């Protein structure tokens, strides 16, 4: 049976009043291409559904252009309307918008929890691990507790000039939930896999992370 992967996107478009933001297009587009190339079915959904705010789009990248064209041809559903039993993996794409709506959205957590507890893969890249900050399992424990993870680092947040703008520092928040955060140099690709939890540090980690997800599902 063909594996099915859900790519989950933020619907938040305001970077703390500094500028507009959203999901980071290449962090969804390149995994989308890799998953399709592996023969998987891919669905894209967002917190609010419908037109999803974009950030980081490079029109010179044909993969990003193809991804956005694909989204235009289909209705992007709300995460709340999806059944986790339909998916073998959920992939939380990043973008600064996730820092506002991912942590406390009940369906962001529900989908990750139910996919994981059914034996599926949970993956997140860059700011996408904001979805993991408050994601608890049925026994009340945090999914990330005791697990190795990668996510956008404090140093990278400072380099981006928004360490004092985001509502929290992602690496610190994951550590407070018991995760063992592992970072490398700013904006270098870095992927960490701990069982069926796979995470990537930054935009450069999106494609390598997607490849690891393919390996986990194969």
């Amino acid at each position: 049976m063909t594996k099915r992967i859900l790519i989950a996107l933020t619907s938040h478009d305001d970077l703390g009043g500094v500028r507009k933001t959203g999901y980071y297009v290449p962090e969804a587009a390149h995994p989308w291409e890799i998953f399709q190339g592996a023969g998987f079915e891919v669905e894209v959904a967002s917190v609010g559904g419908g037109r999803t705010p974009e950030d980081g789009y490079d029109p010179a990248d044909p993969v990003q252009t193809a991804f956005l064209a694909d989204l235009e041809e289909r209705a992007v559903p709300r995460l709340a309307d999806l059944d986790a039993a339909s998916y073998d993996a959920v992939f939380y794409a990043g973008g600064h918008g996730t820092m506002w709506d991912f942590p406390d959205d009940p369906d962001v957590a529900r989908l990750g929890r139910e996919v994981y507890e059914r034996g599926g893969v949970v993956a997140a890249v860059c700011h996408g691990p904001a979805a993991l900050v408050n994601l608890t399992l049925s026994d009340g424990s945090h999914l990330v507790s005791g697990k190795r993870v990668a996510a956008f680092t404090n140093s990278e947040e400072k380099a981006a000039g928004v360490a004092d703008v985001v509502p929290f520092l992602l690496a610190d928040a994951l550590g407070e939930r018991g995760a063992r955060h592992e970072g490398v140099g700013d904006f270098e690709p870095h992927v960490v896999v701990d069982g069926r939890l796979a995470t990537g540090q930054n935009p450069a980690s999106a494609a390598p992370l997607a490849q690891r997800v393919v390996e986990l599902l194969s």
Side-chain angles (χ1 to χ4, degrees), residues 22 53 70 73-74 77 97 121 123 161 197 213 215:
D70 184 69
E73 295 177 0
R74 66 172 84 187
V121 173
L197 177 64
V213 171
E215 294 170 8

PDB file of all heavy atoms in Angstrom, residues 22 53 70 73-74 77 97 121 123 161 197 213 215:
ATOM      1  N   GLY A  22       5.142  33.553   7.524  1.00  0.00           N
ATOM      2  CA  GLY A  22       4.268  32.444   7.158  1.00  0.00           C
ATOM      3  C   GLY A  22       5.069  31.164   7.244  1.00  0.00           C
ATOM      4  O   GLY A  22       5.971  31.042   8.078  1.00  0.00           O
ATOM      5  N   PRO A  53      -0.113  31.758   4.195  1.00  0.00           N
ATOM      6  CA  PRO A  53       0.909  32.798   4.050  1.00  0.00           C
ATOM      7  C   PRO A  53       2.288  32.199   3.791  1.00  0.00           C
ATOM      8  O   PRO A  53       2.675  31.217   4.423  1.00  0.00           O
ATOM      9  CB  PRO A  53       0.859  33.545   5.381  1.00  0.00           C
ATOM     10  CG  PRO A  53       0.300  32.567   6.349  1.00  0.00           C
ATOM     11  CD  PRO A  53      -0.672  31.742   5.564  1.00  0.00           C
ATOM     12  N   ASP A  70       0.875  23.540  -7.546  1.00  0.00           N
ATOM     13  CA  ASP A  70       0.085  22.397  -7.097  1.00  0.00           C
ATOM     14  C   ASP A  70      -0.919  22.821  -6.026  1.00  0.00           C
ATOM     15  O   ASP A  70      -2.079  22.384  -6.038  1.00  0.00           O
ATOM     16  CB  ASP A  70       1.019  21.311  -6.564  1.00  0.00           C
ATOM     17  CG  ASP A  70       0.272  20.051  -6.159  1.00  0.00           C
ATOM     18  OD1 ASP A  70      -0.239  19.355  -7.045  1.00  0.00           O
ATOM     19  OD2 ASP A  70       0.192  19.779  -4.951  1.00  0.00           O
ATOM     20  N   GLU A  73      -4.043  24.417  -7.310  1.00  0.00           N
ATOM     21  CA  GLU A  73      -4.987  23.537  -7.996  1.00  0.00           C
ATOM     22  C   GLU A  73      -5.837  22.704  -7.038  1.00  0.00           C
ATOM     23  O   GLU A  73      -6.736  21.987  -7.474  1.00  0.00           O
ATOM     24  CB  GLU A  73      -4.224  22.597  -8.939  1.00  0.00           C
ATOM     25  CG  GLU A  73      -3.532  23.329 -10.086  1.00  0.00           C
ATOM     26  CD  GLU A  73      -2.725  22.393 -10.956  1.00  0.00           C
ATOM     27  OE1 GLU A  73      -2.707  21.171 -10.664  1.00  0.00           O
ATOM     28  OE2 GLU A  73      -2.104  22.873 -11.921  1.00  0.00           O
ATOM     29  N   ARG A  74      -5.543  22.799  -5.750  1.00  0.00           N
ATOM     30  CA  ARG A  74      -6.293  21.993  -4.786  1.00  0.00           C
ATOM     31  C   ARG A  74      -6.698  22.872  -3.603  1.00  0.00           C
ATOM     32  O   ARG A  74      -6.113  23.912  -3.351  1.00  0.00           O
ATOM     33  CB  ARG A  74      -5.468  20.812  -4.300  1.00  0.00           C
ATOM     34  CG  ARG A  74      -4.250  21.219  -3.496  1.00  0.00           C
ATOM     35  CD  ARG A  74      -3.579  20.013  -2.865  1.00  0.00           C
ATOM     36  NE  ARG A  74      -2.668  19.360  -3.793  1.00  0.00           N
ATOM     37  CZ  ARG A  74      -2.067  18.196  -3.523  1.00  0.00           C
ATOM     38  NH1 ARG A  74      -2.310  17.593  -2.385  1.00  0.00           N
ATOM     39  NH2 ARG A  74      -1.236  17.663  -4.389  1.00  0.00           N
ATOM     40  N   PRO A  77      -6.785  21.909   3.033  1.00  0.00           N
ATOM     41  CA  PRO A  77      -7.700  21.692   4.158  1.00  0.00           C
ATOM     42  C   PRO A  77      -7.130  22.189   5.471  1.00  0.00           C
ATOM     43  O   PRO A  77      -5.928  22.444   5.602  1.00  0.00           O
ATOM     44  CB  PRO A  77      -7.884  20.178   4.170  1.00  0.00           C
ATOM     45  CG  PRO A  77      -6.603  19.655   3.629  1.00  0.00           C
ATOM     46  CD  PRO A  77      -6.147  20.657   2.601  1.00  0.00           C
ATOM     47  N   GLY A  97       6.107  31.794  11.234  1.00  0.00           N
ATOM     48  CA  GLY A  97       4.713  31.775  11.642  1.00  0.00           C
ATOM     49  C   GLY A  97       4.387  30.646  12.602  1.00  0.00           C
ATOM     50  O   GLY A  97       3.516  30.787  13.472  1.00  0.00           O
ATOM     51  N   VAL A 121       5.771   8.110  11.630  1.00  0.00           N
ATOM     52  CA  VAL A 121       6.930   8.995  11.775  1.00  0.00           C
ATOM     53  C   VAL A 121       6.464  10.426  11.984  1.00  0.00           C
ATOM     54  O   VAL A 121       5.553  10.901  11.289  1.00  0.00           O
ATOM     55  CB  VAL A 121       7.832   8.914  10.526  1.00  0.00           C
ATOM     56  CG1 VAL A 121       8.949   9.951  10.586  1.00  0.00           C
ATOM     57  CG2 VAL A 121       8.409   7.508  10.392  1.00  0.00           C
ATOM     58  N   ALA A 123       8.075  14.240  11.864  1.00  0.00           N
ATOM     59  CA  ALA A 123       9.254  14.979  11.421  1.00  0.00           C
ATOM     60  C   ALA A 123       8.963  16.468  11.467  1.00  0.00           C
ATOM     61  O   ALA A 123       7.816  16.898  11.291  1.00  0.00           O
ATOM     62  CB  ALA A 123       9.653  14.559  10.008  1.00  0.00           C
ATOM     63  N   GLY A 161      18.158  38.203  13.398  1.00  0.00           N
ATOM     64  CA  GLY A 161      17.762  39.496  13.929  1.00  0.00           C
ATOM     65  C   GLY A 161      16.421  39.530  14.621  1.00  0.00           C
ATOM     66  O   GLY A 161      15.877  40.613  14.861  1.00  0.00           O
ATOM     67  N   LEU A 197      11.172   9.788  15.473  1.00  0.00           N
ATOM     68  CA  LEU A 197      11.154  11.255  15.512  1.00  0.00           C
ATOM     69  C   LEU A 197      12.362  11.761  14.742  1.00  0.00           C
ATOM     70  O   LEU A 197      13.497  11.437  15.075  1.00  0.00           O
ATOM     71  CB  LEU A 197      11.200  11.752  16.961  1.00  0.00           C
ATOM     72  CG  LEU A 197      11.263  13.268  17.142  1.00  0.00           C
ATOM     73  CD1 LEU A 197       9.999  13.943  16.616  1.00  0.00           C
ATOM     74  CD2 LEU A 197      11.501  13.630  18.606  1.00  0.00           C
ATOM     75  N   VAL A 213      13.251  10.681   6.270  1.00  0.00           N
ATOM     76  CA  VAL A 213      11.873  10.246   6.464  1.00  0.00           C
ATOM     77  C   VAL A 213      11.528   9.127   5.462  1.00  0.00           C
ATOM     78  O   VAL A 213      10.903   8.124   5.816  1.00  0.00           O
ATOM     79  CB  VAL A 213      10.886  11.411   6.325  1.00  0.00           C
ATOM     80  CG1 VAL A 213       9.442  10.914   6.313  1.00  0.00           C
ATOM     81  CG2 VAL A 213      11.096  12.417   7.467  1.00  0.00           C
ATOM     82  N   GLU A 215      13.603   7.021   4.191  1.00  0.00           N
ATOM     83  CA  GLU A 215      14.284   5.816   4.680  1.00  0.00           C
ATOM     84  C   GLU A 215      13.507   5.164   5.828  1.00  0.00           C
ATOM     85  O   GLU A 215      13.369   3.936   5.891  1.00  0.00           O
ATOM     86  CB  GLU A 215      15.705   6.169   5.133  1.00  0.00           C
ATOM     87  CG  GLU A 215      16.616   6.619   4.009  1.00  0.00           C
ATOM     88  CD  GLU A 215      17.925   7.197   4.516  1.00  0.00           C
ATOM     89  OE1 GLU A 215      18.187   7.104   5.747  1.00  0.00           O
ATOM     90  OE2 GLU A 215      18.682   7.774   3.707  1.00  0.00           O
TER      91      GLU A 215
END
